């Protein structure tokens, strides 16, 4: 924001020197991010054009062959589709449940203080640990979930992780368990920050609780929903631990998402060229999607001082 | 918000007298019940973990689950000290995790504080572009970076050494740290900096003497978040370490082997990993939510 009453030659030269100070201050952060994001991306681009393997048997320029393989391999394409399905299902459920939990949580009271604290617990659990605990709880022979489901008359001895549908239920359930608290707390903070007046005005005009919520609070909550949506979508695309440890892509390949495919092709079969092509396709898809999300969020978020 | 009071004006307007009021009450009660049902249900995995970790080995897996028993800390002793079928004591892995966490958190902060100050400088013309670029690196999936890092770490003989985890963790934590800190710098009234400038202070003096002290609470937020993310990280630790710097999350999944899972050892190790973060998260709840939303939620 230009400040009035400034200008003139001395200011301009001091501004230039301050600009270079800023670059100096930025340098370490930029270097770190370049090394860990741009350099890997360039490497992948280069490797994706070669049939490189880690065992060093082949390392030859093959043009776009790896990309042709990725795009014509139904397994790979299914991997992308599964990733999209997972992100869509998990984030949608988390937003809906988060909103349902945020409404009763937003009222200020001592019991809600305890509730908010308890709510955050799953979020604090190391993802590796929560995946392992879910796996043991779902064990059809010794798990608690199966035993207590049988006790209350629900179908017992469900082979949760041996059937594609129940495996998806388990893995989306795990993600919802871990991340709904995060969404709920963002929306709770949002609800608590809303001004009272519009709701009071709506009540005076005879709106019922649902109408007030639907037409007054929900639109005002827009920026917070947008933040939760964007952050959760980005995080969900990065999910690895839960899939690696709970289902390991199984049964068969029914929960094998792109992250798991890249890991397996690169670090278990050591086909670097092939994995790089998949990774580049994934990066391109994400870099098309994320700006769209950010623009959507930006439209809903407060104009931000930058 | 559902506790909006029904004013006399409402009552005269609605045909059913006080019916909306009682319906609103019912809504509040159902909301509360739903909230507490969710809370209780989500505690199951944690209760399972905690209870099983102090069960004697003989009854750990018995069904129906035993709820009354004499608690024992044998599992913790066994897991922490190692030996007896364990390649490494969990003590070692926790130490590796702690060193990696401390190192990457320190690196994140040292790099993020000057950067966020620069990004908040009004005279810095590229600040908007660079802020969005740094934020956009948050979407960069670690699985994509792990391939080149794996290869270069192999060439540079860095596999299974501390820097190979510390540097990438710091980079991946940087967008969150920079955005949290930048939001905090923007909150500091510009007039304070301006009067220091009038007094002839250099940018570095302003950063060190004026901005830094005011920034300490936000630095704490950024540090806690970096620490949690580094402590929990799995993919890089799995791919880039063997035994010298193997971290606790990689170690804990080895208790679920082909030969059946030792529940006692698994749950004790899991509890030890989770405990420090749970405590930190609960104590610093508000800071963590504000940090994870990149300063958007106060």
């Amino acid at each position: 924001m230009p400040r009035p009453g400034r200008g003139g030659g001395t200011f301009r030269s001091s501004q230039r020197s301050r600009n270079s100070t800023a670059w100096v201050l930025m340098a370490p952060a930029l270097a770190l991010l370049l090394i860990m994001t741009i350099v890997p991306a360039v490497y992948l681009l280069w490797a994706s054009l070669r049939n490189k393997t880690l065992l060093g048997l082949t390392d030859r320029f093959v043009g776009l062959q790896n990309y042709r393989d990725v795009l014509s391999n139904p397994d790979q394409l299914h991997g992308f589709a599964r990733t999209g399905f997972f992100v869509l299902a998990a984030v949608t459920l988390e937003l809906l449940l988060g909103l349902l939990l945020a409404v009763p949580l937003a009222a200020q009271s001592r019991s809600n203080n305890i509730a908010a604290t308890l709510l955050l617990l799953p979020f604090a659990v190391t993802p590796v640990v929560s995946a392992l605990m879910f796996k043991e709880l779902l064990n059809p022979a010794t798990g608690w979930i199966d035993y207590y489901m049988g006790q209350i008359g629900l179908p017992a001895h469900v082979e949760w992780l041996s059937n594609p549908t129940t495996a998806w239920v388990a893995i989306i359930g795990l993600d919802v368990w871990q991340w709904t608290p995060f969404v709920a707390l963002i929306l709770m903070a949002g609800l608590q920050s809303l001004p009272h007046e519009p709701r009071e005005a709506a009540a005076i005009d005879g709106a019922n609780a649902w109408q007030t919520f639907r037409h007054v609070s929900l639109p005002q909550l827009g920026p917070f929903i947008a933040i939760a949506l964007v952050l959760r979508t980005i995080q969900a695309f990065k999910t690895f631990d839960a899939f690696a440890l709970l289902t390991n892509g199984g049964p068969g390949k029914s929960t094998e998402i792109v992250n798991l495919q890249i890991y397996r092709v690169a670090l278990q079969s050591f086909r670097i060229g092939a994995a790089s092509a998949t990774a580049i396709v994934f990066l391109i898809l994400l870099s098309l999607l994320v700006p769209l999300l950010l623009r959507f969020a930006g439209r809903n978020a407060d104009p931000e001082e930058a | 918000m559902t506790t909006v009071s029904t004013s006399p004006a409402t009552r005269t307007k609605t045909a059913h007298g006080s019916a909306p009021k009682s319906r609103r009450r019912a809504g509040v009660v159902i909301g509360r019940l739903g909230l507490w049902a969710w809370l209780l249900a989500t505690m199951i995995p944690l209760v399972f973990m905690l209870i099983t970790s102090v069960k004697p080995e003989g009854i750990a897996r018995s069904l129906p689950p035993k709820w009354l028993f004499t608690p024992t800390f044998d599992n913790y002793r066994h897991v922490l000290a190692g030996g007896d079928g364990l390649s490494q004591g969990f003590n070692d892995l926790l130490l590796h995790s702690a060193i990696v966490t401390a190192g990457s958190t320190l690196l994140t902060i040292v790099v993020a504080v000057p950067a966020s100050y620069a990004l908040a400088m009004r005279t810095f013309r590229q600040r908007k572009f660079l802020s969005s670029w740094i934020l956009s690196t948050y979407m960069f999936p670690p699985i994509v970076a792990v391939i080149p890092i794996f290869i270069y770490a192999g060439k540079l003989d860095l596999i299974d050494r501390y820097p190979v985890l510390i540097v990438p963790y710091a980079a991946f934590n940087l967008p969150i740290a920079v955005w949290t800190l930048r939001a905090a710098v923007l909150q500091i009234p510009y007039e304070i900096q301006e009067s220091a400038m009038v007094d002839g202070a250099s940018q570095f003096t302003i950063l060190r003497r004026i901005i830094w002290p005011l920034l300490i609470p936000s630095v704490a937020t950024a540090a806690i978040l970096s620490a949690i993310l580094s402590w929990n990280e799995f993919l890089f630790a799995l791919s880039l370490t063997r035994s010298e710097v193997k971290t606790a999350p990689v170690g804990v999944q080895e208790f679920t082997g082909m030969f059946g899972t030792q529940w006692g050892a698994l749950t004790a190790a899991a509890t030890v990993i989770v405990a420090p973060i749970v405590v930190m998260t609960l104590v610093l709840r508000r800071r963590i939510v504000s940090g994870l939303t990149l300063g958007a939620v106060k």
Side-chain angles (χ1 to χ4, degrees):
Chain A
M1 206 183 292
R3 299 179 72 78
R6 297 295 199 103
T10 48
F11 178 64
R12 211 161 289 149
S13 76
S14 85
Q15 190 178 31
R16 196 168 305 138
S17 87
R18 263 193 242 136
N19 234 17
S20 54
T21 310
W23 279 107
V24 171
L25 293 170
M26 286 295 306
L30 291 181
L32 192 55
L33 284 175
L34 282 174
I35 292 173
M36 288 300 151
T37 61
I38 303 293
V39 172
V42 171
Y43 177 90
L44 291 172
L45 207 54
W46 174 79
S48 70
L49 302 173
R50 310 177 69 85
N51 63 354
K52 188 178 173 58
T53 65
L54 252 199
L55 307 172
L57 297 176
T58 54
D59 188 4
R60 205 165 43 78
F61 181 80
V62 293
L64 296 176
Q65 189 54 47
N66 287 322
Y67 290 96
R68 250 174 262 135
D69 290 347
V70 171
L71 298 176
S72 64
N73 180 349
D75 255 10
Q76 288 279 340
L77 297 178
H78 283 148
F80 283 106
R82 285 180 209 121
T83 309
F85 164 72
F86 167 71
V87 173
L88 195 68
V91 174
T92 308
L93 278 172
E94 284 155 20
L95 282 173
L96 286 175
L97 284 168
L99 192 58
L100 281 176
L101 293 171
V103 171
L105 204 58
Q108 310 264 11
S109 74
R110 190 174 298 163
S111 74
N112 269 352
N113 223 350
I114 301 169
T117 306
L118 284 177
L119 182 71
L120 199 55
L121 270 176
F123 164 78
V125 176
T126 308
V128 167
V129 167
S130 42
L132 293 173
M133 293 305 119
F134 264 63
K135 190 170 186 181
E136 297 308 322
L137 282 169
L138 291 172
N139 184 320
T142 52
W144 285 15
I145 291 193
D146 224 74
Y147 174 78
Y148 284 115
M149 273 177 65
Q151 290 295 300
I152 57 174
L154 290 168
H157 302 296
V158 180
E159 297 271 349
W160 285 94
L161 302 175
S162 315
N163 171 310
T165 312
T166 48
W168 274 112
V169 170
I171 200 123
I172 290 171
L174 169 60
D175 202 73
V176 165
W177 177 84
Q178 185 115 45
W179 288 102
T180 302
F182 174 63
V183 176
L185 287 177
I186 293 176
L187 299 180
M188 177 196 88
L191 284 169
Q192 287 174 345
S193 74
L194 299 184
H196 290 288
E197 292 80 10
R199 288 194 309 252
E200 276 160 20
I204 289 167
D205 288 346
N208 65 30
W210 167 248
Q211 287 167 329
T212 312
F213 179 73
R214 171 68 190 82
H215 297 288
V216 180
S217 300
L218 204 54
Q220 286 181 305
L221 209 54
F224 294 88
I225 295 175
I227 291 165
L229 172 71
V230 171
L231 289 176
R232 273 309 300 145
T233 306
I234 293 175
Q235 291 159 352
F237 273 113
K238 298 199 252 186
T239 311
F240 174 80
D241 312 6
F243 284 89
L245 294 171
L246 184 59
T247 66
N248 199 16
K253 290 185 170 177
S254 55
T255 60
E256 198 180 61
I257 54 163
V258 176
N259 284 340
L260 216 50
Q261 288 179 327
I262 296 175
Y263 182 81
R264 286 180 169 170
V265 175
L267 300 180
Q268 287 176 353
S269 8
F270 301 123
R271 287 161 47 221
I272 301 299
S276 299
T278 314
I280 290 289
V281 173
F282 191 38
L283 265 185
I284 291 172
L285 289 176
L286 282 182
S287 47
L288 291 176
L289 180 77
V290 172
L292 281 179
L293 271 176
L294 287 177
R295 191 173 308 160
F296 167 78
R299 196 146 29 90
N300 283 284
D302 287 320
E304 201 218 339
E305 210 280 336
Chain B
M1 59 132 321
T2 34
T3 54
V4 175
S5 63
T6 320
S7 64
T10 325
R11 243 175 264 154
T12 52
K13 274 187 188 170
T14 51
H16 304 292
S18 62
K21 192 173 180 178
S22 65
R23 214 182 300 151
R24 207 163 283 184
R25 280 260 164 76
V28 171
V29 170
I30 290 170
R32 287 250 172 87
L33 284 178
L35 173 64
W36 282 96
W38 168 274
L39 291 175
L40 288 179
T42 55
M43 289 304 122
I44 293 171
L46 300 176
V47 171
F48 165 73
M49 177 178 83
L50 216 55
I51 293 277
T52 311
S53 74
V54 292
K55 265 187 192 172
E57 192 57 39
I59 58 160
R61 305 183 77 126
S62 58
L63 284 177
K66 287 216 167 40
W67 289 89
L68 292 171
F69 55 89
T70 324
T72 162
F73 288 96
D74 285 351
N75 290 321
Y76 289 90
R77 262 191 292 272
H78 168 62
V79 161
L80 288 176
D84 190 21
L86 290 177
S87 53
Q88 258 173 316
F90 223 68
N91 268 336
D92 292 345
L93 306 190
L94 291 170
L95 179 68
H96 301 158
S97 276
I99 292 173
V100 169
T101 302
S104 63
T105 304
L106 195 68
L107 184 56
T108 305
I109 297 303
V110 165
V111 168
V113 169
S116 26
Y117 175 60
L119 289 175
M121 277 168 70
R122 291 164 196 235
T123 50
F124 185 28
R125 255 174 286 130
Q126 292 81 3
R127 65 183 191 279
K128 275 194 182 170
F129 166 73
L130 287 174
S131 301
S132 344
W133 182 69
I134 289 182
L135 181 64
S136 75
T137 63
Y138 185 59
M139 67 141 222
F140 197 82
I143 187 73
V144 169
V146 81
I147 304 171
I149 292 172
F150 180 77
I151 288 169
Y152 279 106
K155 284 186 181 156
L156 299 171
D157 198 23
L158 281 169
I159 298 273
D160 212 14
R161 305 204 181 186
Y162 287 112
V164 85
L165 293 186
I166 289 177
V167 176
Y169 289 2
F172 293 132
N173 292 339
L174 208 55
I176 292 182
V178 166
W179 270 67
T180 312
L181 291 170
R182 180 177 156 280
V185 178
L186 287 171
Q187 299 249 308
I188 298 172
Y190 191 66
E191 288 65 31
I192 301 181
Q193 295 184 51
E194 220 171 22
S195 58
M197 264 183 252
V198 170
D199 292 343
S202 71
Q203 289 290 335
F204 287 105
T205 315
I206 295 173
L207 176 54
R208 200 163 53 91
R209 292 275 171 78
I210 296 168
I211 306 289
W212 172 252
L214 291 170
L215 217 52
I216 286 175
S218 306
V219 169
T221 306
I224 294 156
L225 286 173
S226 306
I228 292 178
L229 294 173
S230 306
W231 181 265
N232 285 347
E233 207 280 339
F234 177 62
L235 171 63
F236 272 66
L238 180 70
S239 317
L240 302 172
T241 70
R242 301 289 171 264
S243 62
E244 293 299 311
V245 300
K246 184 161 83 179
T247 61
V250 180
V252 71
Q253 45 109 28
E254 289 170 1
F255 290 114
T256 61
M258 300 172 221
F259 312 109
T261 301
Q262 308 155 271
W263 270 17
L266 172 72
T267 50
T271 310
V272 175
I273 295 178
V274 165
I277 315 175
V278 166
V279 171
M280 248 196 316
T281 311
L282 294 189
V283 173
L284 302 156
R285 190 182 92 213
R286 275 175 207 285
R287 291 195 162 280
I288 284 169
V289 173
S290 130
L292 272 177
T293 52
L294 309 164
V297 170
K298 295 279 151 19

